[in-house]
Amino acid sequence: MLSVFSDEYFMQKALLEAEKALAKGEIPVGAVIVVDNQIIAKAYNLTEHLQDVTAHAEIQAITAASEYLGGKYLTNCTIYVTLEPCSMCAGALYWSRIQRVVIGASDPKRGFRTIGGILHPKTQFISGILEEECETILHSFFTSKR
Amino acid sequence: MLSVFSDEYFMQKALLEAEKALAKGEIPVGAVIVVDNQIIAKAYNLTEHLQDVTAHAEIQAITAASEYLGGKYLTNCTIYVTLEPCSMCAGALYWSRIQRVVIGASDPKRGFRTIGGILHPKTQFISGILEEECETILHSFFTSKR
């Protein structure tokens, strides 16, 4: 039997965040941060709305989770993010010492594994969860912009 | 004759920001963002005070400058920062397409040139402005913590 609280379950929640970004005309990337199977932060890309390049889903989610926990280290947390983090967001996750980074779609052009940057040595990295759904929402955005 | 508005002049302003961080018990890093010889954003590291790993001086300065300019691209701006940016901050500067990044001290351990990450290809990078003063304030902090 599948656990209710699987990686797919939480990635689905991150996808709901990405849909909110899409509805606002933003590049649709969403993230949730989870500790003990509880979502403590949700966020989606708001760079256009806020006119701020730092307003990626991950950065907002890290700030919100730290606020919730009352501490800057996310050592027992998992972030689910629909697209591979860029080097800015990987850098923020590095400093947070987050336990797990779980991504949907890979970003061979702008992802941290291409551009550079690292996660904390203790951080576990898992890719490809609901990859097709995470890619589809991105493709639908970029197709609509052409 | 030296121009009043030299790189050293603005780095001195960034150092004043670093001193504010030091006074709060933060790792003393300061930044200012300048356009047309006018400072439009000032910030210092607040990661301990805010308990938020994303609260580096550069991230706050980018957000403040974007707010001031009403746009997310800082293509005519220069950031003066007392310490070499980490990969998170270099990533944010990459997205901002900032014209110039001017640093004081280098960070061979955690700087983006070591850890990874890139600036925008159009961004000019200058290092070593008031390097000794920028290193001294960092050393005084770390010595006091031993």
Side-chain angles (χ1 to χ4, degrees):
Chain A
M1 199 178 79
L2 275 175
S3 162
V4 173
F5 298 119
S6 62
D7 283 343
E8 288 76 12
Y9 173 84
F10 289 115
M11 188 60 77
Q12 193 62 52
K13 301 296 184 187
L15 266 167
L16 289 178
E17 295 302 305
E19 283 173 14
K20 293 179 194 170
L22 186 68
K24 289 202 175 189
E26 300 274 358
I27 295 176
V29 180
V32 299
I33 293 179
V34 174
V35 61
D36 295 336
N37 289 331
Q38 187 193 339
I39 294 173
I40 62 168
K42 302 192 284 186
Y44 54 92
N45 176 36
L46 277 173
T47 48
E48 291 305 318
H49 187 70
L50 297 177
Q51 283 294 294
D52 182 347
V53 297
T54 74
H56 283 193
E58 301 95 310
I59 300 288
Q60 297 176 74
I62 290 167
T63 297
S66 300
E67 174 73 20
Y68 178 86
L69 294 172
K72 66 179 181 168
Y73 293 126
L74 309 178
T75 38
N76 297 315
C77 299
T78 298
I79 188 167
Y80 294 86
V81 57
T82 58
L83 179 64
E84 179 184 340
C86 69
S87 58
M88 171 179 73
C89 293
L93 291 164
Y94 170 89
W95 291 118
S96 80
R97 303 183 189 180
I98 198 161
Q99 190 173 50
R100 294 171 77 226
V101 173
V102 182
I103 74 164
S106 292
D107 186 352
K109 198 172 166 196
R110 298 280 178 89
F112 78 98
R113 292 179 295 178
T114 305
I115 286 191
I118 52 168
L119 298 175
H120 194 276
K122 290 192 176 168
T123 298
Q124 196 187 348
F125 180 76
I126 295 123
S127 65
I129 303 297
L130 302 188
E131 186 169 16
E132 200 176 310
E133 292 89 329
C134 292
E135 283 175 353
T136 298
I137 191 170
L138 284 160
H139 290 166
S140 67
F141 172 80
F142 287 111
T143 305
S144 74
K145 290 288 175 188
R146 269 178 211 139
Chain B
M1 198 179 78
L2 275 174
S3 163
V4 173
F5 297 118
S6 62
D7 283 342
E8 287 75 12
Y9 173 84
F10 289 115
M11 189 61 77
Q12 193 63 51
K13 300 297 184 189
L15 266 167
L16 290 178
E17 294 303 303
E19 283 173 14
K20 294 179 193 169
L22 186 67
K24 289 203 174 189
E26 300 274 358
I27 295 176
V29 181
V32 299
I33 293 179
V34 173
V35 61
D36 294 337
N37 288 331
Q38 187 194 343
I39 293 174
I40 61 168
K42 302 192 284 185
Y44 53 93
N45 176 37
L46 278 172
T47 48
E48 292 304 318
H49 187 71
L50 298 177
Q51 284 292 295
D52 182 347
V53 297
T54 75
H56 283 192
E58 301 95 313
I59 300 289
Q60 296 177 72
I62 290 167
T63 297
S66 300
E67 175 72 21
Y68 177 87
L69 294 171
K72 66 179 181 167
Y73 293 126
L74 308 179
T75 38
N76 296 317
C77 299
T78 298
I79 188 167
Y80 294 87
V81 57
T82 59
L83 179 65
E84 178 183 341
C86 69
S87 58
M88 171 180 72
C89 293
L93 292 164
Y94 169 90
W95 290 119
S96 80
R97 303 183 188 178
I98 198 161
Q99 191 174 49
R100 294 171 77 227
V101 173
V102 182
I103 73 164
S106 293
D107 187 352
K109 198 173 166 195
R110 299 280 178 88
F112 79 98
R113 292 179 295 177
T114 304
I115 286 190
I118 53 167
L119 298 175
H120 195 275
K122 289 192 177 170
T123 298
Q124 194 187 351
F125 180 75
I126 295 122
S127 65
I129 304 297
L130 301 188
E131 187 169 16
E132 201 175 310
E133 293 89 331
C134 292
E135 283 175 351
T136 298
I137 191 170
L138 284 160
H139 289 166
S140 67
F141 172 80
F142 287 111
T143 304
S144 75
K145 290 288 173 186
R146 271 180 207 138

